[in-house]
Amino acid sequence: LDPGRIPVGLLAGDLVDVWVTSDSPEALGGRSASVRVLEKATVTAVEASSFGGGLSVELAVPLEQVDDVIEAMRTGAIDIVTVPLADQSIAP
């Protein structure tokens, strides 16, 4: 992932939402250009990627949502957004 699309200081154990942004709303089924594809996912690892100087972020993704996340990665740019502390206590 592009480091500009990941919160500074992201660490394993943080809760994040995953958004996909596309220049083409048609690619997202006619929905708006940004769509949240995953809520309150737990970060399991963050490390420098050997591919193009980006960062690798590993998330715990519920099995039933894996296809949605993979499709989002193919559709547009992925943005990782930290879940506010006030909302972290109600993580699934």
Side-chain angles (χ1 to χ4, degrees), residues 6 21 23 34 38-39 48 56-57 64 84-85:
I6 301 169
T21 303
D23 292 333
S34 294
L38 192 59
E39 286 186 72
S56 174
V57 178
E64 63 274 4
L85 289 175

Side-chain angles (χ1 to χ4, degrees), residues 7 10-19 36-46 57-63 65-66 69 78-84 87-88 90-92:
L10 188 68
L11 298 170
D14 288 348
L15 290 180
V16 297
D17 289 346
V18 177
W19 291 76
R36 184 171 45 200
V37 293
L38 192 59
E39 286 186 72
K40 297 180 185 163
T42 302
V43 176
T44 57
V46 179
V57 178
E58 184 178 300
L59 304 174
V61 178
L63 187 57
Q65 291 181 286
V66 170
V69 174
I78 296 292
D79 291 289
I80 306 289
V81 179
T82 306
V83 174
D87 293 336
Q88 289 193 18
I90 49 176

